[in-house]
Amino acid sequence: MDPSSQKHFTAVDYVIFSVLLAASMSIGLYYALSGGRQRTTQEFLMADRSMHCIPVSLSLIASFQSAVAIIGVPAEIYTHGTQYWFIGCSYILGLLIPAHVFVPLLYRLRLSSAYQYLELRFSKTVRICGTLTFIFQMVIYMGVCVYTPAFALNKVTGFELWGVVLVTGLVCTLYTALGGLKAVIWTDVFQTAVMFAGQLAVIVVGVQQAGGVRAVWNKVLDGDRISGLDLNPDPTERHTFWTLGVGGVFLMLSLYGVNQAQVQRYLSARSEKAAVRSCYMVFPSLQVALALSCVMGLVMFARYCGEDPSAQLGSTSRDAVVIYFVLDMLQGLPGLPGLFVACLFSAALSTISTAFNSLATVTMEDLIKPRCPSMTEKRATLLSKLLAVSYGVLCVAMAYLTHLMGDSVLQVALKIFGMVGGPILGLFCLGMFFPWANSTGAVAGLGAGLSLAFWIGIGSIVTRSSGSRPLPPDCRDSLMSSNATASVQAALNATLSAPSGLRSFYSLSYMWYSGVSCCAVILSGLLVSLLTGPMKAEDVAPGTVYPVLGNLRRVLPECLKKRLCCAPTRSAPHQKDCNGSTLTREAGTSQAEAFLPSGAYTEHETTV
C-alpha cells in the first residue's frame, strides 16, 4: 500500500477505542465480583435464567450483526448493487417460526444445551454428532470474525495484523471467562449501541461530503446500483428474490431457531413469554441494521463513483475498501474514526464472546458432564471458564486459515452457516416434525446432509463457481452506461460464464446451501427410518415433537396413523431424559395434548 494513502488515528481516536475495550472488560469484572460471582454453572452458562427480554433481544442482534456484516454488507452493495437488501424479506418467517415453534418447545424442556434435545428425542449418539458439528461450525466462523476487522485495519492504517487479532481475542476471552453469560449479554447491549452510533455517523458525514441526499441518489441510480425485484428462478443466480427471500429463511432458521449461541439466550430469559417477546423484538432492529449497512454501501459508491480506491490500497479486497472509505471521510473529524473502529470491534467482540460462551456450554453439558456425573459444581464452573479460555486461543489460531477462502467475508460467513447450519437445522426439524424418525435415520440424515453441503461448498471454492461479475464502478450519466453496457454485460455473462456439468452443480447460489442440506437431512433421514423400522409412539419422549401432524389425522387412514405414531396412545411407560429425570404421560393423552408438558423437567444444582 502507498504510505501516503494510509490513514492515521489521532489521540482522541485512540481514547475512544480504548474506552470501548475498557468498558467491555469492566462489565466482565462487575459480574465476576457481584451477585453469585459466577460460582455455579447455571449462573456462568445460563445467567440464572433471569434475563429480561430487552437485553436478550439486543444480544441476539449483536450476535448476528458481526464485523462480517458491518464490513461485508456495504462491500456487497458497493460492488453488486442493492439486490442483497431483499434478504430482509426472509427475516419475517425466519423469526416468526422460531418464536412459535423452536423457542417454546426448547424453553419448556428447561435445557442448558440445545443438543440435549437430540438425546431426548433420539439418542446420545445423535446428541454427540450434533454437538461436534456445531463446534466445528463455530470454531471456523470465529476465525472469520476475528480476522476480518484486523485484516481491513491492517490494509488501511498499517496496524499490526496479528497484534490486532491477539488484542481482540484476549479482551473477549477475559470478560467472557470472568463474567459468564450475564457479562456477554450486557456487553452486547453496550456494543450494539456503539455499532448503530458508528454506522449512523458514517452515513451522515458521507451524505454531506457526497453533496446531499439527492446527489447520492442520482449517482447510485446512474451507476445502476438500485436493483429491481429479480424473480429469476435459476438457483445458480447468486442473488435473486428467491435465493434471498426463500433461501434466506432456511439460513435464518439455522441461526435463530437451533443455533446454540442464540438458543442459549432464549433459555436465559426469565420466562417463556420473555423469550418469545425477545425474538419478536429482534425483527425491527435487524431491519434497521440491514438498512444502515446497505445505505452505507450506497453512500460509499456515491463517494468513489468513477474511482477505484483498491489501487491506492494495493489490494483488490472490497472489504478493505469499506474501512478506507470510512477513515478517508472521517479523517478530518477527530474522534469519529475511533468511533467507527470501536463500532467494528464491538461487532467482532459481541459475536466472538457469544461463540466462546456457547462453545463452553455445549462442551460442558454435552461432552463432559454426561461422562463425569459426579463432578462437583465448583469444579464444573472452573472447567467451564477454562473451556472459554481454550476456545479463545483456538479462535486466534483459526484466524490464520480464513484468508485461504478467497471470497468476500460476507459470502464466506454465509457459506459456513449454510454448509454446517443447514444440516443441523434439518436434524432438529426431523425430530420435531416427524415422530416416526428414529436414531439411525437421524445419524444417516446428518451424514448425508453434511456430505452434500461440503461437496457443493468445496466444489464451488475450488472451481470459483459461486461468484458473479461486479458492476462497473462508474456513475456517469450516459445512455450507453445505463442501457447498452448493461445489456452487453448481461449477454457476456450468459455466454461466457454459463456453467455445464458438475460445474453447474457447484454454481448453486450459496444462499441455497442451508435449504438444500436441510432437505437432504430430512429426506434421507425419513427414508432410512422407514427402512429400519419407524419409531413407535411409546418410545417418543413427551414434549419433543411439535404436533403439526395432529391436524392431518383426519385425512389419514387408521393403519397409517398407527404406523406413523400419529394416533393417540392408550398408555406410555415411564421414560427418562438425558439427565435421568423421570418423564410420564397420562393414559389416553394425544400427541397434541402431550406437547411440552408443563413442569415435566426439573433442575437440581448445588451451590458453593
Side-chain angles (χ1 to χ4, degrees):
M1 177 180 176
D2 183 4
S4 63
S5 301
Q6 280 193 349
K7 307 302 175 185
H8 302 282
F9 267 20
T10 63
V12 179
D13 297 321
Y14 280 109
V15 168
I16 292 177
F17 184 53
S18 300
V19 166
L20 165 74
L21 300 179
S24 299
M25 284 294 299
S26 300
I27 294 173
L29 287 172
Y30 173 78
Y31 283 104
L33 301 174
S34 64
R37 298 189 178 184
Q38 312 300 318
R39 290 183 177 180
T40 66
T41 52
Q42 277 298 301
E43 184 179 10
F44 182 75
L45 299 176
M46 302 304 298
D48 276 336
R49 302 186 191 271
S50 61
M51 301 303 297
H52 292 277
C53 61
I54 294 178
V56 170
S57 64
L58 291 174
S59 181
L60 288 169
I61 297 164
S63 303
F64 180 77
Q65 189 73 359
S66 66
V68 172
I70 298 288
I71 293 179
V73 175
E76 168 67 29
I77 301 298
Y78 173 83
T79 307
H80 298 284
T82 58
Q83 189 67 229
Y84 182 80
W85 207 329
F86 285 105
I87 198 174
C89 299
S90 69
Y91 293 175
I92 302 172
L93 288 178
L95 292 169
L96 197 63
I97 294 174
H100 289 276
V101 177
F102 295 103
V103 174
L105 193 151
L106 295 173
Y107 191 90
R108 295 180 198 178
L109 291 176
R110 305 296 291 177
L111 309 174
S112 297
S113 162
Y115 305 100
Q116 286 176 300
Y117 166 83
L118 297 177
E119 183 174 350
L120 285 173
R121 176 61 182 86
F122 295 115
S123 67
K124 185 174 293 185
T125 302
V126 180
R127 176 182 180 178
I128 293 174
C129 289
T131 300
L132 293 177
T133 304
F134 169 77
I135 291 174
F136 175 76
Q137 174 193 25
M138 293 306 293
V139 165
I140 296 177
Y141 183 62
M142 282 193 305
V144 177
C145 290
V146 172
Y147 182 79
T148 298
F151 168 76
L153 277 178
N154 170 261
K155 283 295 181 183
V156 177
T157 64
F159 281 6
E160 181 61 36
L161 175 62
W162 299 111
V164 177
V165 169
L166 288 172
V167 169
T168 306
L170 178 64
V171 170
C172 196
T173 301
L174 286 177
Y175 78 72
T176 304
L178 290 173
L181 185 60
K182 281 185 180 178
V184 171
I185 290 178
W186 282 109
T187 307
D188 285 349
V189 173
F190 165 70
Q191 290 165 350
T192 301
V194 175
M195 279 190 283
F196 284 160
Q199 285 183 295
L200 197 58
V202 170
I203 290 172
V204 171
V205 174
V207 169
Q208 289 179 344
Q209 293 193 4
V213 175
R214 183 179 295 276
V216 170
W217 174 255
N218 289 335
K219 289 178 180 179
V220 298
L221 199 62
D222 294 337
D224 200 24
R225 286 313 191 270
I226 304 299
S227 305
L229 188 63
D230 187 355
L231 297 177
N232 186 355
D234 184 1
T236 63
E237 283 293 323
R238 184 169 173 270
H239 287 163
T240 66
F241 174 77
W242 305 114
T243 60
L244 295 166
V246 180
V249 171
F250 289 93
L251 179 66
M252 291 295 292
L253 291 178
S254 68
L255 283 171
Y256 282 93
V258 299
N259 188 285
Q260 170 66 20
Q262 311 293 53
V263 170
Q264 193 170 343
R265 276 146 183 73
Y266 301 137
L267 300 178
S268 71
R270 58 176 49 193
S271 66
E272 180 187 330
K273 184 179 291 186
V276 172
R277 191 176 295 154
S278 67
C279 197
Y280 271 104
M281 294 174 67
V282 169
F283 176 75
S285 303
L286 277 183
Q287 294 288 3
V288 171
L290 177 64
L292 287 175
S293 296
C294 291
V295 170
M296 185 174 155
L298 293 177
V299 173
M300 185 169 74
F301 176 79
R303 169 66 179 81
Y304 290 123
C305 60
E307 302 177 22
D308 189 6
S310 60
Q312 293 177 310
L313 284 170
S315 169
T316 57
S317 170
R318 298 295 180 186
D319 307 313
V321 172
V322 175
I323 302 293
Y324 179 83
F325 156 73
V326 171
L327 298 185
D328 182 36
M329 278 197 320
L330 304 179
Q331 193 66 40
L333 303 170
L336 288 185
L339 177 62
F340 181 78
V341 172
C343 156
L344 186 63
F345 275 84
S346 291
L349 290 173
S350 63
T351 305
I352 300 164
S353 63
T354 296
F356 290 169
N357 194 265
S358 61
L359 286 168
T361 301
V362 297
T363 305
M364 173 58 67
E365 297 293 335
D366 297 334
L367 301 180
I368 297 177
K369 273 190 175 181
R371 286 159 179 74
C372 305
S374 60
M375 182 183 295
T376 64
E377 190 66 26
K378 182 177 181 180
R379 180 171 295 180
T381 305
L382 177 60
L383 185 55
S384 298
K385 295 179 179 181
L386 291 176
L387 284 171
V389 173
S390 301
Y391 279 117
V393 175
L394 182 59
C395 163
V396 174
M398 288 305 299
Y400 281 95
L401 303 179
T402 300
H403 68 282
L404 300 177
M405 299 284 285
D407 292 320
S408 72
V409 293
L410 181 68
Q411 190 163 323
V412 168
L414 296 184
K415 274 187 177 181
I416 292 170
F417 279 116
M419 291 164 61
V420 186
I424 295 177
L425 172 64
L427 189 60
F428 276 85
C429 290
L430 185 67
M432 290 182 182
F433 302 129
F434 301 94
W436 59 90
N438 61 26
S439 176
T440 305
V443 174
L446 180 62
L450 286 171
S451 300
L452 179 63
F454 276 90
W455 182 19
I456 299 173
I458 294 175
S460 71
I461 293 172
V462 172
T463 61
R464 301 294 179 196
S465 299
S466 60
S468 63
R469 293 175 181 268
L471 295 172
D474 194 0
C475 61
R476 289 174 296 180
D477 188 10
S478 68
L479 292 176
M480 181 61 186
S481 170
S482 59
N483 297 320
T485 302
S487 301
V488 170
Q489 182 157 348
L492 284 174
N493 286 341
T495 55
L496 295 179
S497 61
S500 60
L502 267 182
R503 195 176 181 86
S504 64
F505 184 62
Y506 297 146
S507 298
L508 181 72
S509 171
Y510 67 94
M511 291 299 298
W512 284 116
Y513 286 3
S514 287
V516 169
S517 56
C518 175
C519 293
V521 171
I522 294 173
L523 293 176
S524 56
L526 289 177
L527 179 61
V528 173
S529 295
L530 293 174
L531 292 175
T532 57
M535 182 171 280
K536 298 178 181 179
E538 57 268 21
D539 295 331
V540 179
T544 58
V545 176
Y546 189 81
V548 67
L549 294 176
N551 297 327
L552 302 177
R553 212 179 283 167
R554 303 171 188 172
V555 299
L556 294 176
E558 190 66 27
C559 60
L560 192 57
K561 292 180 188 177
K562 293 180 180 179
R563 182 170 177 77
L564 300 181
C565 76
C566 290
T569 56
R570 295 183 179 179
S571 62
H574 292 284
Q575 300 166 338
K576 288 189 176 182
D577 70 357
C578 55
N579 298 317
S581 303
T582 301
L583 310 177
T584 61
R585 183 165 63 186
E586 296 180 2
T589 303
S590 69
Q591 180 197 19
E593 291 169 338
F595 171 57
L596 305 181
S598 176
Y601 297 82
T602 57
E603 295 178 350
H604 302 280
E605 178 183 295
T606 58
T607 56
V608 180

